[in-house]
Amino acid sequence: MSRTTRVEDLLRLHAPQVLGALVRRYGHFGTAEDAVQEALLAAAQQWPEAGVPDNPRGWLIRVASRRLTDRLRGDEARRRREETAARLTPRDAHTAPPPGEGRAPSEDDTLTLLFLCCHPVLTPAAQIALTLRAVGGLTTGEIARALLLPEATAAQRISRAKAKIKGVPFRPPVPEDRDERLSAVLQVLYLIFNEGYTATSGAALHRADLAREAIRLTRAVRRLLPREGRVAGLLALMLLTDARSAARTGPHGELIPLDEQDRTRWDRDEIAEGIALVEEALSEGPAGPYQLQAAIAALHDEAARAEDTDWPQILALYDVLVRRAPEPMAELGRAVAVAMVEGPEAGLAELDALEDRLAGHHRLDAVRAHLLERAGDPVAARDAYRRAASRTLSTPEAHYLRMRAARLREDGDRGRGTP
């Protein structure tokens, strides 16, 4: 791992913890987030050359605290805010703690921050966008792609959410509020995990730091709500999906699709834990989207070979899923299952119904290309692979899609006797 990559991983790990510490100590959510972003920028510039400090979180808290108090002093009510900042600032706030010691409180500030961002004063859409920014550390562009929104809309949503929770106390929610916010919390964690498992942009297919953080936070929520089937289902889904990570890429970072992966490289401990959680989650009551997706993932992971996959059972689960939670990506997964059970032409017919809702999304084009290839239409498949490659911002995905298109061209040339 390069020094720059290590620095990026550390910054992503500590950013929500530092923000949580500042909001708890000072309030001023929006100003605190700006100060943390400045501290992260300073670290990104200094640490690769000067080295990572002994206590990176303490360093970030110290620098962000300085930036925050500077901002408070520069506001219109200068004197009053200086007095407030002086009163709130601990005596040692501007010195780095000794190596091995941190100023983070005993409770998990990141978890408190997670529930703060999902406060009832915000709409569900605003909760998700703000949490992806503050806790997940995603950029505005990444959030926009994860939510299928224009970037300007995502930026506006985040800005308004910050303004709305200004002055909200930074403390864990009481049980009744916690349960009310749970749906948004789980959706955010799911989106963070998805961005980690398959990055929407960049040179790497997998951002392991994000995936690990989503799993860690989901485990923390499960400790709060051990009998909640949705939480167990989401954790199971993450583990069963993450278990395949080692087999998803080749030696040069190239994408390897599920049916071509070396299944001996899958993490059997994660699979065993995930399957046990699925069984527990399904026993907690009516199966929701996370439990159903986890059950689908378990069927994939239990198959020793791709051809052993129980596609009829997967299709049956997708049928229940899209009835209970109709959303485009679930319906896209169902279209694949239909193709595997009833043939590629049946799957292609299912895709036609998704054209309006997923128009321009590279995954729709990629699935269409795969099914056209299976249906024996290499020319149309090649065009669809090319469209998908042009629409994704992920370098490994684009490379894989272009490679599939090129292979179809070569096969076609050989079939025509082209030298």
Side-chain angles (χ1 to χ4, degrees):
M1 179 186 295
S2 70
R3 179 178 289 185
T4 299
T5 301
R6 177 171 179 257
V7 166
E8 291 172 353
D9 287 348
L10 281 170
L11 295 181
R12 192 174 292 280
L13 170 67
H14 291 304
Q17 300 171 12
V18 174
L19 178 58
L22 261 67
V23 175
R24 176 178 50 81
R25 183 178 295 169
Y26 299 102
H28 304 284
F29 183 96
T31 309
E33 203 222 3
D34 291 339
V36 171
Q37 292 301 316
E38 291 181 13
L40 294 173
L41 178 60
Q45 293 171 340
Q46 296 178 34
W47 292 2
E49 293 298 326
V52 176
D54 291 334
N55 190 312
R57 182 170 57 188
W59 189 99
L60 289 167
I61 290 175
R62 172 169 59 88
V63 173
S65 295
R66 285 178 174 170
R67 301 296 171 91
L68 178 58
T69 52
D70 286 346
R71 283 174 175 269
L72 292 175
R73 292 189 183 101
D75 287 342
E76 185 178 348
R78 178 185 179 94
R79 181 174 301 174
R80 178 173 59 83
R81 293 192 176 182
E82 279 186 346
E83 291 172 354
T84 301
R87 185 172 64 253
L88 291 174
T89 303
R91 284 188 300 242
D92 63 345
H94 301 309
T95 60
E101 294 182 16
R103 289 205 187 88
S106 57
E107 71 273 14
D108 190 340
D109 273 341
T110 305
L111 193 57
T112 303
L113 181 64
L114 178 64
F115 278 91
L116 173 65
C117 291
C118 294
H119 196 279
V121 299
L122 302 175
T123 65
Q127 292 171 344
I128 291 165
L130 181 61
T131 312
L132 289 172
R133 171 72 174 178
V135 180
L138 273 63
T139 67
T140 304
E142 290 167 345
I143 294 168
R145 290 189 291 277
L147 300 179
L148 304 179
L149 292 172
E151 190 164 338
T153 301
Q156 187 178 58
R157 191 172 288 179
I158 294 165
S159 178
R160 288 177 176 172
K162 287 182 189 177
K164 271 202 157 186
I165 63 167
K166 184 177 181 181
V168 173
F170 186 78
R171 59 172 179 251
V174 296
E176 52 269 29
D177 286 343
R178 183 182 64 204
D179 294 342
E180 184 180 353
R181 300 183 210 179
L182 183 61
S183 293
V185 166
L186 296 181
Q187 187 173 2
V188 167
L189 292 173
Y190 182 44
L191 289 171
I192 293 172
F193 176 81
N194 284 344
E195 179 63 27
Y197 188 71
T198 303
T200 56
S201 64
L205 179 70
H206 187 218
R207 294 165 63 176
D209 57 329
L210 269 186
R212 284 194 303 266
E213 182 66 3
I215 292 172
R216 186 189 74 83
L217 289 171
T218 305
R219 288 191 187 280
V221 175
R222 179 164 159 75
R223 286 194 293 272
L224 284 175
L225 302 168
R227 305 302 299 172
E228 173 57 65
R230 288 174 293 171
V231 180
L234 179 57
L235 181 56
L237 175 59
M238 290 179 178
L239 293 171
L240 290 164
T241 306
D242 189 63
R244 309 174 201 141
S245 295
R248 293 180 70 225
T249 53
H252 305 293
E254 66 273 20
L255 185 153
I256 301 175
L258 180 63
D259 60 350
E260 298 176 16
Q261 289 175 15
D262 177 0
R263 300 184 177 215
T264 64
R265 299 186 64 200
W266 289 0
D267 188 322
R268 292 296 156 186
D269 290 337
E270 279 195 310
I271 291 173
E273 183 183 0
I275 289 173
L277 282 167
V278 170
E279 293 171 352
E280 177 185 329
L282 292 175
S283 71
E284 295 291 342
Y290 299 123
Q291 296 97 310
L292 290 167
Q293 290 179 79
I296 291 169
L299 288 170
H300 282 295
D301 287 8
E302 287 174 323
R305 303 173 302 164
E307 53 267 35
D308 297 331
T309 305
D310 188 349
W311 282 107
Q313 183 62 28
I314 288 174
L315 177 56
L317 288 167
Y318 267 120
D319 286 340
V320 178
L321 177 61
V322 298
R323 282 200 304 270
R324 295 187 181 177
E327 63 93 18
M329 287 302 172
E331 293 180 42
L332 187 62
R334 181 182 176 277
V336 173
V338 168
M340 298 303 293
V341 175
E342 301 176 12
E345 291 82 3
L348 287 166
E350 296 289 333
L351 294 185
D352 291 339
L354 293 172
E355 192 64 50
D356 289 342
R357 283 176 292 166
L358 285 174
H361 198 290
H362 77 279
R363 296 205 187 284
L364 179 63
D365 288 316
V367 172
R368 189 185 300 281
H370 175 66
L371 297 186
L372 286 166
E373 184 178 356
R374 289 189 63 224
D377 190 345
V379 174
R382 186 174 66 234
D383 291 343
Y385 278 129
R386 287 172 173 169
R387 280 197 308 276
S390 70
R391 286 170 171 169
T392 182
L393 297 177
S394 165
T395 301
E397 284 190 330
H399 176 75
Y400 169 77
L401 293 164
R402 285 194 295 266
M403 180 189 69
R404 295 295 292 249
R407 188 174 70 182
L408 286 174
R409 179 183 178 88
E410 290 169 3
D411 290 346
D413 289 343
R414 280 195 294 271
R416 291 191 299 270
T418 304

